[in-house]
Amino acid sequence: TDPFSRKVNLRDGLTTQMDFEAGAGDIAKWYAEAEGKTQANYGMVVLATLARGLVLDGPEVVAGANDMGGLFPMVGAAAAKAKKEGRKPGWTATLPNKEQMTKIMSIVDEGLRQGALGVGIPVGYMTKGVTQYELYKYQELASKYGRVSNGHVRFAGIRPPTEGQLGVQEMLANAMVLDAPFMASHLNSNMDWEYTIPLINDAREKRGAKVWGEVYPYAAGGTIASTDILTESSMVQMGITYSNVSNLDGTRWDKAMYEDVRTNDPGRSILIFNNSPKDIAKWLAQPGVVIVSDGMAIQDAKLNYYPWDSPYEGKSVHPRSAGTRAKVLRMVREEKIMPLMEAISKMSYLHAKYFDELGGIPQFRTKGRVQVGADADIVVFNPDTVTDNSTYEPGKGALPSTGIPYVLVNGVVVVKDSVAQKVFPGKPIRFPVQEKGRLEQISIEPRTFVPNQ
């Protein structure tokens, strides 16, 4: 959601840009900084990870980290501080006591009070630090506002006992008990998509649950080096090894690099090649899922944002940030993976339908539709030529899509003749600020953890 990434997204036909998996810490600040400076519509959830970091690692570690781009330096700072103090990083591995958990929940509650669209709970990055109880409490708090919990779920892989399906079931069960909205993040990267997508569809269509899932059109995932996905045991679960991991410069890992990077550069952006490219078309065509980019922040080697007018060339990053929608449309044309209108729906109308009817976000009642009275967020593309140009190759991760010459946001042309314009018609997607929070409506009584004697 930084300016350069927004420009890249516009060239790929994205008119409403929201981060649901991660989010922001200070919601009021995030929306204030976006106002009048944003070409597309914008929205944000409050991020549980930043709340945990603030309480369990300290404000000096989290300082300046108010969105996904700020997470990477926070990860490194937290790891360095924990190593110096002879402990594990707080945000990912510490079990909070009642006082700490109350502070964490109060930060999340304040974000919801300030109008956040929901709660981002990337528990898959905090597998040893977030108990099932704490996870339930995040979802319970979101439910008190009637808002979405978004989860990068706890597990990934296809081998028991902790395969990807178990992680989905954990958060799905909470949502169904609470009668609360839940969106499962990138089901394809959890590797159990053949089972979890029908599971979520059945919960929604047969049981009336307010749940849905999303996928993206790439076989590799992009993440940070310290992710719990890359513990030795998790790699066994996924059936991968060190060489399935790559730096953005194309260098594949071995055991020595694995140990070095995870210890000394835990915030490094990396790629994990954990799926078969032959399966991309299969999960995209699954009924009920929506298509997202799961875009990473596009940053330089020092983890600074690129300026808006920075060139598209020379950026090493996962290509999904720049090419997701054009890639889907190209696959529709070349591989006939699904009807064109179905693909368009999965990238527009179906999002709006779920966010409105299940997630309770009223602004989406007039989005995702081309009709009188709807918002004039319009993408003009040529189905015969539209294509993605970004790749995994170093320096080519942010090359813009082509065949999408015009994009309008709220009736204003923001891409003209395939050139992004410096106009800012984007409107906030946000709930009204509440007079008081709702944390007092839930009790916090986590179990006491007693070390082995």
Side-chain angles (χ1 to χ4, degrees), residues 53 80 85 274 299:
E85 297 175 357
N274 64 325
Q299 297 170 301

Side-chain angles (χ1 to χ4, degrees), residues 135-392:
L135 181 58
Y136 179 85
K137 287 297 174 179
Y138 288 130
Q139 292 185 256
E140 182 185 29
L141 182 57
S143 76
K144 294 298 180 182
Y145 289 84
R147 299 183 196 171
V148 176
S149 296
N150 181 272
H152 177 118
V153 299
R154 194 183 297 270
F155 304 120
I158 55 177
R159 300 183 181 184
T162 53
E163 63 250 55
Q165 185 167 348
L166 184 63
V168 171
Q169 287 174 327
E170 179 183 27
M171 298 191 75
L172 176 61
N174 291 344
M176 294 184 73
V177 167
L178 294 164
D179 189 27
F182 164 58
M183 178 166 58
S185 290
H186 29 272
L187 292 168
N188 56 290
S189 64
N190 294 321
M191 300 180 71
D192 257 354
W193 58 270
E194 292 172 282
Y195 313 107
T196 54
I197 292 175
L199 178 73
I200 289 174
N201 285 344
D202 283 349
R204 181 183 63 255
E205 295 167 8
K206 297 180 180 179
R207 301 296 179 185
K210 302 171 184 175
V211 299
W212 70 102
E214 44 94 332
V215 294
Y216 58 80
Y218 295 88
T223 185
I224 53 176
S226 64
T227 174
D228 286 357
I229 294 171
L230 291 182
T231 63
E232 300 275 4
S233 59
S234 293
M235 286 197 293
V236 172
Q237 297 297 127
M238 293 189 291
I240 65 172
T241 187
Y242 310 110
S243 60
N244 290 93
V245 184
S246 170
N247 296 324
L248 296 182
D249 64 5
T251 304
R252 293 283 181 148
W253 283 14
D254 55 19
K255 183 174 176 59
M257 182 169 286
Y258 171 90
E259 294 174 347
D260 175 53
V261 175
R262 281 174 61 86
T263 300
N264 299 312
D265 192 8
R268 180 184 297 184
S269 294
I270 59 167
L271 301 173
I272 304 177
F273 294 85
N274 64 325
N275 275 302
S276 170
K278 296 179 181 179
D279 287 337
I280 296 173
K282 297 177 184 177
W283 67 59
L284 290 177
Q286 289 284 309
V289 295
V290 292
I291 295 172
V292 305
S293 69
D294 190 28
M296 300 279 285
I298 302 178
Q299 297 170 301
D300 64 19
K302 295 182 180 180
L303 300 180
N304 297 314
Y305 285 137
Y306 289 104
W308 185 89
D309 56 359
S310 180
Y312 297 107
E313 297 78 15
K315 310 295 189 294
S316 298
V317 68
H318 195 300
R320 65 192 178 193
S321 297
T324 287
R325 290 148 198 92
K327 180 174 182 177
V328 171
L329 294 171
R330 174 177 61 78
M331 292 178 71
V332 167
R333 178 180 70 246
E334 296 178 353
E335 303 175 35
K336 307 295 189 292
I337 61 172
M338 70 182 88
L340 175 60
M341 291 307 296
E342 183 179 354
I344 292 172
S345 176
K346 286 173 181 261
M347 296 186 286
S348 57
Y349 170 72
L350 201 56
H351 281 281
K353 176 181 172 68
Y354 289 159
F355 279 133
D356 172 25
E357 297 178 4
L358 306 182
I361 304 174
Q363 290 97 327
F364 282 97
R365 291 172 191 163
T366 51
K367 294 193 180 297
R369 305 156 173 86
V370 178
Q371 63 187 50
V372 174
D375 297 345
D377 300 335
I378 299 171
V379 178
V380 180
F381 69 94
N382 185 339
D384 296 326
T385 63
V386 61
T387 193
D388 54 312
N389 298 298
S390 57
T391 71
Y392 298 112

Side-chain angles (χ1 to χ4, degrees), residues 2 16 21 30 38 55 87 147 192 207 209 242 310-311 336:
D2 60 282
T16 298
E21 180 191 355
W30 188 88
T38 309
V55 174
R87 60 174 179 82
R147 299 183 196 171
D192 257 354
R207 301 296 179 185
Y242 310 110
S310 180
K336 307 295 189 292

